[in-house]
Amino acid sequence: GTVIVDLSTTSVAEARAVAASLADKGLVFADAPVARTRQAAIDGTLSIMVGADAALFARIAPLLGYMGSDVTLCGEVGCGQVVKLVNNTLLFEQVAAIAEMMVMAERAGVAPETLIQAVGLGSGNSFALQTHAKKAMAPRDFPAKAFPMAYALKDIGYTIELAEQMGVEPRLPRLVSEYYQAAIDAGIGDKYFPAIIEVVDRK
């Protein structure tokens, strides 16, 4: 039968509701949100997180392999969204933490480039530090049409919703959402989300 694969990021509940609705019509559904950078999309090296049964995954994985170098079966329908939301929320939290630490360190006399180099040699190293901090936050270079604050806030909202449904208190997601909302309120909501450092630096 016809298979529909959704590569967008949605709430888990929405993905599962769509799957149920399509099943009533004889259609098969998988959620397969993607991660990594714009360049990864161009190069076909995305990470794709799939929610589907094993048989369906075996059918669609070769096709997804043209877009992604890492295609992971995360569980049943909706589980691709679970993993994507965890991935994104961890990234947004890390970027917010780096923004605070970078502004603090710079005001205390440590240049951002030096901070990234030194922390990168220790246990504080991360993908966010080496990518978002190094390429965007330190030079304050926030390219147009990159992932904006509003998208970050949307994904964090989905994570908060899921955490509450699962009986987990989402304290950190709620806290970090305040930063991204503050960026939108400050009129920089259309900027690439690491520009959250500008919110921190205004205080």
Side-chain angles (χ1 to χ4, degrees), residues 70-156:
D70 296 284
V71 182
T72 305
L73 177 60
C74 299
E76 63 183 20
V77 168
C79 288
Q81 299 297 348
V82 173
V83 176
K84 174 62 185 293
L85 293 175
V86 169
N87 177 83
N88 280 19
T89 302
L90 286 172
L91 175 61
F92 301 145
E93 290 172 350
Q94 289 170 35
V95 166
I98 290 169
E100 290 185 342
M101 295 299 99
M102 187 176 287
V103 171
M104 179 192 73
E106 187 170 17
R107 291 181 182 180
V110 180
E113 295 78 10
T114 302
L115 182 72
I116 292 168
Q117 179 183 6
V119 173
L121 297 172
S123 57
N125 194 24
S126 68
F127 175 81
L129 185 74
Q130 295 301 327
T131 303
H132 301 80
K134 182 181 290 185
K135 297 179 180 179
M137 299 165 79
R140 302 295 176 97
D141 180 19
F142 309 112
K145 298 183 179 179
F147 200 94
M149 307 285 183
Y151 288 8
L153 197 59
K154 170 185 70 73
D155 288 356
I156 296 168

Side-chain angles (χ1 to χ4, degrees), residues 5 21 30-31 35-36 38 42 47 50 63 67 80 90 113 119 135 142 167 173:
V5 181
S21 177
D31 56 301
R36 294 186 180 147
R38 181 189 300 181
I42 294 170
S47 172
V50 183
L63 298 175
M67 297 179 286
L90 286 172
E113 295 78 10
V119 173
K135 297 179 180 179
F142 309 112

Side-chain angles (χ1 to χ4, degrees), residues 1-41:
T2 300
V3 176
I4 296 175
V5 181
D6 181 12
L7 279 73
S8 64
T9 302
T10 70
S11 72
V12 176
E14 184 177 359
R16 289 174 174 166
V18 168
S21 177
L22 291 174
D24 290 340
K25 298 175 175 62
L27 304 174
V28 182
F29 177 83
D31 56 301
V34 303
R36 294 186 180 147
T37 62
R38 181 189 300 181
Q39 190 60 48

